[in-house]
Amino acid sequence: MRKHRSNGFWPALRGNRKAMTGAVILLVFTLVAAFPGLFTSVRDPNALLSPPSLQPSGAHWLGTTSLGQDIYAQLVYGTRQSLIIAVVAGAFATVLSVLIGVSAAYLGGVFDDLLSMLTNVMLVIPAFPLIIILSKYAGKGSLTVMLAVLVATGWSYGANQLRAQALSLRNRDFLESARVRGERRGYIIVFEVLPTMTSLIVANFLGAALYSVLSAAGLQFLGLGDPNSSSWGTMLYWSQNQQALLTGSPLWSLAPGLCVALLGAAFALINYAFDEIGNPALRPVRTNARTRVKTVKKRGQRVQRAESQ
Amino acid sequence: MSSAPNHSDPSSDHEPLLDVRGLRVSYQSSRGPVEAVGGVDLRVGRGEFVGVVGESGCGKSTLLFAVAQLLSPPAAITDGSVEFKGQNLVRLTEKQLNALRWRDYSVVMQSAMNALNPVTTIAAQFKDAILAHDRRSAEQIRARSVEVLQLVGIDPVHLGSYPHQLSGGMRQRAMIAMALLFTPDLVIMDEPTSALDVVAQRSLMVQIKELQQLLGFAVVFVTHDMSLVSHFSDRLLVMYAGQVVEAGPTRQVFDAPAHPYSRGLLDAFPSIHGPRVPLTGIPGSPPDLAEPPPGCRFAPRCPVVEEACHRVAPALYPVGGVLSRCLLDAPDRRTPATPVEATS
Amino acid sequence: MTEGLTHQEASRPAAPLPIPPLLETVELTRHFKVGAGLSRRMLHAVDGVNLVINRQEIVALVGESGSGKSTVARLLAQVHRPTSGEIRYQGRSLAALRGRRAQLAYRSDVPMVFQDPFSSLNPAYPVAHGILRGLKLHRPELGRAERQAEAERVVEAVGLSPATEILARYPHELSGGQRQRIGFAQALAYRPKLILADEPVSMLDVSIRIGLLNVMAELREREGVSFLYITHDIASARYVSDRLLVMYGGHVVESGPTEDVLAGPKHPYTQLLLSAVPDPRAPLEVDAAAAKSEPPVVIDPGPGCRFRERCPFAVERCFAETPLLRELGPAHTAACHVAVADEVPTAAV
């Protein structure tokens, strides 16, 4: 039998245009975050170096802020924090989701009841007001606090999904086979159950990352972040604070907003590839136009597109 | 290309109820088109019980779906005709098909638990089925529902039950009752007994046969269990890799199977009577239909294969009262091999 | 494992010690709670089962779904704990097994093969995974190269080759029959004494079943392994087994050498099963009444034979008193009040 790993990650990614687009966007952002110096000559984006409120020009591609900072440079340097938030908060939230969701499913009984109750309570509480309240009282401005808050509010949705899937897996014969083999419970959960759930876990991560990007931007816009840091959200805060849209520097608001949206979209697009890996039924049948099947036409029906070889 | 009127399926003389000729079904896959059914002829006379037998992947279920016009993309009929009471079903529109469905022919699916709606009562589902195809008053619907349930031996009190409240055997019989609501002329069944235990299977088959004799409908019965259908069918078709490899009266196919695959299949059933003999089954597995082998499709696994079998695709040849798709049964067998082009 | 001698046995003159059977159960019982929350109703999945499996023998356990046969397998595999009764392996009770090492040793001697080839192998790993893990757990003395070699040996022993290539494949790249053979290979890797095979061929095509049944017979000859072959298909049970046990409603209703039981079934249920098996060469016979009913769901049963509702020979005693297995022929027992011993022809139709 021919050996083709048709359910591998790379083939799915390559074959899926949406996911490739998302991956490319993410790659670009990652490079910008890692090597900001390659993308702009400005070394300190917060320094008040230039004349304020300039229009876009050759020297300042997106113009300058009302305080005299290069907008494009701020955008470049802000990428790092936004990306870090997305990835770190997303990762921790996913880890929590996995721990709680899968344990609840596998341990069952009283543990399941307790963990499910916890999950459901967190789900029901409106997230954004909660985030605002937590940020306000936990100490405004610290990145660590923001990450903690995002993780605390972002894990519950994934936990429910993962629990549902783990439950459906619970009675699969290969798990019973592992039990009968004598494997310990912890081993089974980590090495037998989780690997079959990778696509869902990765999809969860992407969803959590998306959620973190948007929520972080929102928090910072509201002034609950550190106003002195460089990030897109802070740019949104300052530009709104300085009435950028009304005073002729719309790019100061639009550019960071667009970047937030783009990064979020990147995560969402990559998710498409994982849907397909996880559920082969969603894979579109990719056919060679030459060999498409010619079908018998029905009375009164238009002829089907018949391209037979 | 449609096949010449060379019916590969001997049947009774009078006008057949169902006449399938040269039916081909293909579906798209990521590796190109796959022909799941490669030119099948099937004739069913009035009141006849025809068994279609084969293992997984032979195309029998696809054939059934194609005949019942239930195929959905990516599968589609690419050639052939399905003449039912004089009309070619393949060319009918949905509206015209609806006029025939359930009243003239009906379908019983493999797993009742999947086919019955778990959230409505049996009565509601019967009502749905009736109203979808005819106008009847509530009185008439109720009367008919009670009648069909009694026909299959279910106490009409179960009209108010939900599917999960019935046992497996009862659910399956409810499915059959539903298929008989309009007393159709043809009932197509796709492995209706495979989810049941052997005693329930036997009882259900007997029931089906009794009903058939009472009401006079024809049955096309698809199954992988050859021995089960052997007592009940008038004629048998054996399918392999999308083709019919043997067809004929049941007793003949059983007593003297002509095709090596039928022989192998029959031999693979251990018997409970008679001496205990070691059996071998059929080694290997069915061919990949995306790239079927040239020549005979059974050649790679055939115990009596000859060199010509790998090159020449055999047609169905009459031999001893059955039709067999085997070069060894070709009429010109005794003359040295001149490759005969297959016509179907 | 050596047998310990009691003081009395040691002081007797040297009579040959009876070798205990490989595995034996004594009044094995398992009940499950049914209903929600505070319900106290119990499903009697397995009741008072006494079975014996000897070395190098294939014992078939036949019954419909709901008869308790799968539960028996799971009890023997220690998936469930018995509600009451005992399982003795090589003379020692399983309940007395202490410690992980002893547990592993039992699991190593008595592994299980599952029914569904489509879900019995973890789809995320190549098929070698289960075999290698098993070897790591149960034969820790082997190094990595030895494990690989052993994995290849067992894969060849079940008729798959080339072994190295097959081991590298993922489950979805193998056919159903091949996957089941891998299941057997996994069990074989432990050098087991007894393999519990829970309907290993039911989900396979007919032409492939024989191949696997032959593998089982071969393993019994070549490797000296016993099998508990659980199935609802009495024909395949006949093909491969030395002894046959028939279960109904949680009880063993008949037991004996396969040919004897099939030639002269004593219990009415066995007779019904046999008459229902389609055999194209035999004429059609049907017992309408018994055939129409369903196997029981045994919840909080009272005394009495569980087959009484469907039995054509039931008498008053059958409703009052639960029949016990009694010997009606050489090594041939049946649990029925009306069945007669071998001298007289049975009252079977």
Side-chain angles (χ1 to χ4, degrees):
Chain A
M1 213 184 270
R2 250 185 299 150
K3 188 173 159 169
H4 54 95
R5 293 277 320 278
S6 56
N7 62 348
F9 167 51
W10 292 114
L13 194 58
R14 269 204 310 272
N16 187 321
R17 251 176 283 153
K18 288 184 282 239
M20 266 321 265
T21 317
V24 164
I25 298 177
L26 187 59
L27 183 65
V28 167
F29 278 131
T30 313
L31 285 173
V32 171
F35 309 109
L38 290 179
F39 292 86
T40 173
S41 52
V42 175
R43 287 294 156 250
D44 181 2
N46 289 333
L48 311 178
L49 292 175
S50 322
S53 300
L54 286 180
Q55 290 304 302
S57 66
H60 302 280
W61 289 352
L62 296 174
T64 60
T65 68
S66 61
L67 304 163
Q69 301 146 322
D70 184 306
I71 293 178
Y72 174 72
Q74 284 199 320
L75 207 61
V76 166
Y77 279 92
T79 312
R80 182 177 293 183
Q81 196 185 73
S82 304
L83 206 54
I84 287 180
I85 291 175
V87 171
V88 172
F92 276 103
T94 307
V95 166
L96 257 189
S97 300
V98 169
L99 273 176
I100 295 182
V102 176
S103 306
Y106 214 81
L107 296 174
V110 154
F111 287 111
D112 187 10
D113 293 339
L114 284 176
L115 290 172
S116 291
M117 190 166 69
L118 176 64
T119 310
N120 291 329
V121 163
M122 289 304 296
L123 266 179
V124 160
I125 296 179
F128 213 61
L130 180 63
I131 293 179
I132 296 175
I133 294 173
L134 283 176
S135 300
K136 192 106 172 85
Y137 285 95
K140 168 168 140 169
S142 152
L143 181 63
T144 322
V145 166
M146 169 152 9
L147 284 175
V149 164
L150 288 174
V151 169
T153 54
W155 66 264
S156 50
Y157 183 73
N160 239 7
Q161 274 194 313
L162 290 167
R163 174 178 171 276
Q165 199 187 29
L167 274 180
S168 78
L169 281 178
R170 203 156 76 145
N171 292 318
R172 295 284 289 279
D173 278 351
F174 63 85
L175 290 179
E176 199 166 9
S177 173
R179 272 190 293 256
V180 168
R181 195 156 74 215
E183 305 279 15
R184 293 180 214 268
R185 219 148 49 155
Y187 169 87
I188 294 182
I189 294 180
V190 173
F191 289 99
E192 298 281 342
V193 176
L194 288 186
T196 58
M197 295 174 61
T198 37
S199 62
L200 193 56
I201 293 175
V202 172
N204 252 287
F205 165 71
L206 292 170
L210 170 60
Y211 164 78
S212 306
V213 165
L214 299 178
S215 305
L219 283 175
Q220 288 163 333
F221 172 70
L222 290 175
L224 294 168
D226 177 1
N228 295 319
S229 66
S230 19
S231 78
W232 298 335
T234 343
M235 286 176 72
L236 286 172
Y237 171 72
W238 282 113
S239 63
Q240 200 266 347
N241 190 289
Q242 301 290 307
Q243 312 258 335
L245 290 171
L246 296 174
T247 57
S249 311
L251 283 173
W252 193 8
S253 278
L254 290 177
L258 190 64
C259 282
V260 168
L262 262 181
L263 183 59
F267 287 125
L269 288 170
I270 296 177
N271 220 345
Y272 278 105
F274 284 93
D275 279 346
E276 281 186 9
I277 296 178
N279 186 357
L282 288 175
R283 290 182 210 162
V285 177
R286 298 184 184 99
T287 59
N288 199 323
R290 267 190 307 144
T291 53
R292 203 164 299 159
V293 166
K294 172 177 153 226
T295 55
V296 176
K297 75 173 189 284
K298 300 222 167 236
R299 190 179 294 157
Q301 216 182 22
R302 286 172 297 133
V303 176
Q304 300 238 6
R305 260 175 60 215
E307 297 157 37
S308 52
Q309 171 71 356
Chain B
M1 77 185 156
S2 45
S3 59
N6 165 30
H7 297 305
S8 55
D9 192 30
S11 157
S12 34
D13 296 317
H14 53 259
E15 182 68 27
L17 182 68
L18 179 70
D19 193 358
V20 178
R21 300 190 197 181
L23 193 62
R24 288 179 187 273
V25 178
S26 285
Y27 65 89
Q28 293 291 356
S29 81
S30 52
R31 284 144 66 215
V34 174
E35 193 172 56
V37 176
V40 168
D41 295 346
L42 167 67
R43 282 176 119 206
V44 182
R46 285 193 181 272
E48 231 186 340
F49 193 128
V50 177
V52 178
V53 169
E55 301 181 299
S56 34
C58 71
K60 59 191 192 298
S61 288
T62 312
L63 172 67
L64 192 125
F65 273 66
V67 166
Q69 305 303 309
L70 291 172
L71 286 178
S72 43
I77 298 178
T78 54
D79 200 5
S81 63
V82 178
E83 295 267 336
F84 177 66
K85 285 164 100 168
Q87 297 188 65
N88 185 355
L89 298 183
V90 178
R91 290 193 177 269
L92 295 185
T93 61
E94 270 304 296
K95 200 163 160 200
Q96 292 165 314
L97 276 175
N98 261 337
L100 292 176
R101 277 193 184 124
W102 232 251
R103 301 164 65 141
D104 294 289
Y105 75 90
S106 60
V107 184
V108 176
M109 290 302 185
Q110 181 166 1
S111 169
M113 210 52 215
N114 290 341
L116 289 174
N117 189 333
V119 300
T120 57
T121 58
I122 302 293
Q125 299 190 47
F126 280 16
K127 179 173 154 192
D128 255 347
I130 294 179
L131 288 178
H133 299 284
D134 196 14
R135 290 182 193 288
R136 299 275 171 96
S137 69
E139 253 308 301
Q140 291 172 314
I141 292 177
R142 178 154 181 90
R144 184 64 187 158
S145 304
V146 168
E147 207 177 334
V148 292
L149 277 189
Q150 283 170 332
L151 268 179
V152 297
I154 297 181
D155 189 333
V157 74
H158 286 294
L159 274 175
S161 303
Y162 288 87
H164 66 266
Q165 292 173 315
L166 304 177
S167 69
M170 285 174 82
R171 282 198 290 264
Q172 216 59 33
R173 282 185 279 144
M175 286 288 297
I176 293 175
M178 197 146 86
L180 295 176
L181 282 171
F182 290 94
T183 322
D185 295 309
L186 172 67
V187 181
I188 300 177
M189 304 197 185
D190 185 5
E191 307 229 42
T193 58
S194 59
L196 304 177
D197 292 308
V198 65
V199 177
Q201 274 187 7
R202 170 57 66 99
S203 120
L204 191 69
M205 290 303 294
V206 169
Q207 182 112 71
I208 293 174
K209 193 71 180 172
E210 279 172 1
L211 285 169
Q212 192 205 13
Q213 278 159 358
L214 178 67
L215 299 173
F217 54 86
V219 174
V220 176
F221 192 98
V222 167
T223 180
H224 67 274
D225 192 341
M226 207 177 186
S227 53
L228 177 68
V229 81
S230 65
H231 287 300
F232 304 99
S233 60
D234 301 314
R235 280 189 304 117
L236 205 57
L237 264 68
V238 181
M239 282 187 74
Y240 181 79
Q243 297 174 318
V244 173
V245 295
E246 184 149 359
T250 310
R251 280 269 54 95
Q252 223 124 344
V253 173
F254 265 87
D255 294 337
H259 195 279
Y261 175 65
S262 319
R263 284 204 293 269
L265 204 55
L266 267 178
D267 282 344
F269 282 91
S271 167
I272 49 170
H273 307 295
R276 209 152 86 150
V277 283
L279 302 173
T280 46
I282 307 177
S285 30
D288 182 358
L289 288 177
E291 298 169 3
C296 173
R297 293 185 182 181
F298 187 60
R301 303 168 76 186
C302 182
V304 294
V305 64
E306 295 189 348
E307 189 275 325
C309 301
H310 293 292
R311 284 181 291 116
V312 179
L316 279 170
Y317 309 110
V319 51
V322 303
L323 287 172
S324 164
R325 190 182 292 272
C326 179
L327 279 184
L328 301 180
D329 295 313
D332 55 344
R333 164 92 169 80
R334 291 192 199 92
T335 64
T338 33
V340 174
E341 275 316 301
T343 52
S344 76
Chain C
M1 248 192 257
T2 52
E3 316 298 334
L5 296 176
T6 64
H7 180 66
Q8 284 159 310
E9 285 169 323
S11 56
R12 263 194 235 129
L17 282 170
I19 305 174
L22 183 60
L23 187 133
E24 125 181 74
T25 69
V26 179
E27 294 297 311
L28 186 61
T29 303
R30 172 73 196 183
H31 298 164
F32 292 100
K33 198 163 82 81
V34 290
L38 298 171
S39 151
R40 301 179 120 247
R41 299 162 70 211
M42 297 298 257
L43 172 70
H44 288 226
V46 173
D47 260 339
V49 163
N50 299 295
L51 64 80
V52 165
I53 302 173
N54 299 306
R55 286 169 181 72
Q56 222 170 354
E57 130 176 288
I58 299 185
V59 174
L61 184 57
V62 173
E64 295 166 290
S65 58
S67 59
K69 57 192 196 304
S70 286
T71 313
V72 166
R74 277 157 180 74
L75 283 165
L76 294 180
Q78 292 199 303
V79 171
H80 303 306
R81 281 252 155 87
T83 309
S84 70
E86 210 184 20
I87 302 173
R88 289 194 200 137
Y89 175 66
Q90 291 183 333
R92 299 242 177 110
S93 168
L94 283 192
L97 283 182
R98 296 263 171 270
R100 184 158 164 76
R101 182 166 304 178
Q103 289 278 348
L104 277 182
Y106 174 73
R107 290 185 187 284
S108 163
D109 278 353
V110 185
M112 189 151 149
V113 174
F114 294 86
Q115 175 179 10
D116 184 353
F118 299 100
S119 71
S120 59
L121 298 175
N122 192 326
Y125 294 103
V127 299
H129 168 79
I131 303 178
L132 292 175
R133 263 315 288 180
L135 283 170
K136 199 151 181 218
L137 274 177
H138 295 279
R139 292 171 66 187
E141 70 277 6
L142 298 177
R144 178 185 293 206
E146 294 167 304
R147 281 199 289 268
Q148 179 69 21
E150 185 66 8
E152 289 176 16
R153 180 188 82 85
V154 294
V155 165
E156 303 245 331
V158 297
L160 290 174
S161 72
T164 330
E165 206 232 314
I166 299 258
L167 280 170
R169 291 204 195 154
Y170 282 78
H172 71 271
E173 293 171 324
L174 297 178
S175 70
Q178 287 171 318
R179 276 183 265 198
Q180 283 303 79
R181 285 178 193 243
I182 294 282
F184 277 99
Q186 275 180 337
L188 204 58
Y190 309 152
R191 296 239 192 89
K193 305 274 190 320
L194 165 67
I195 295 183
L196 306 169
D198 186 7
E199 305 230 39
V201 297
S202 314
M203 293 186 70
L204 299 178
D205 275 332
V206 167
S207 61
I208 308 197
R209 284 183 200 175
I210 293 289
L212 263 114
L213 293 177
N214 286 340
V215 166
M216 281 171 60
E218 216 173 297
L219 290 177
R220 176 192 51 191
E221 296 312 311
R222 269 208 337 249
E223 313 256 346
V225 181
S226 293
F227 281 87
L228 178 64
Y229 173 55
I230 293 169
T231 181
H232 63 268
D233 173 16
I234 206 166
S236 66
R238 188 229 179 171
Y239 181 73
V240 81
S241 67
D242 304 308
R243 283 195 304 118
L244 187 66
L245 272 69
V246 180
M247 272 191 87
Y248 186 83
H251 285 151
V252 171
V253 298
E254 187 152 1
S255 154
T258 308
E259 292 302 309
D260 290 353
V261 172
L262 293 181
K266 304 280 183 211
H267 195 282
Y269 176 63
T270 315
Q271 292 163 5
L272 172 67
L273 261 189
L274 281 172
S275 74
V277 173
D279 190 337
R281 302 162 202 114
L284 178 60
E285 12 167 305
V286 143
D287 185 342
K292 280 234 167 84
S293 349
E294 311 278 337
V297 177
V298 187
I299 298 187
D300 294 336
C305 175
R306 291 178 187 174
F307 189 59
R308 59 188 184 258
E309 307 291 334
R310 298 167 78 183
C311 184
F313 310 116
V315 297
E316 218 178 285
R317 191 176 170 207
C318 304
F319 287 82
E321 195 185 318
T322 310
L324 297 173
L325 281 171
R326 41 190 190 101
E327 185 142 339
L328 297 168
H332 183 175
T333 58
C336 178
H337 294 307
V338 297
V340 275
D342 261 344
E343 297 76 55
V344 183
T346 58
V349 161

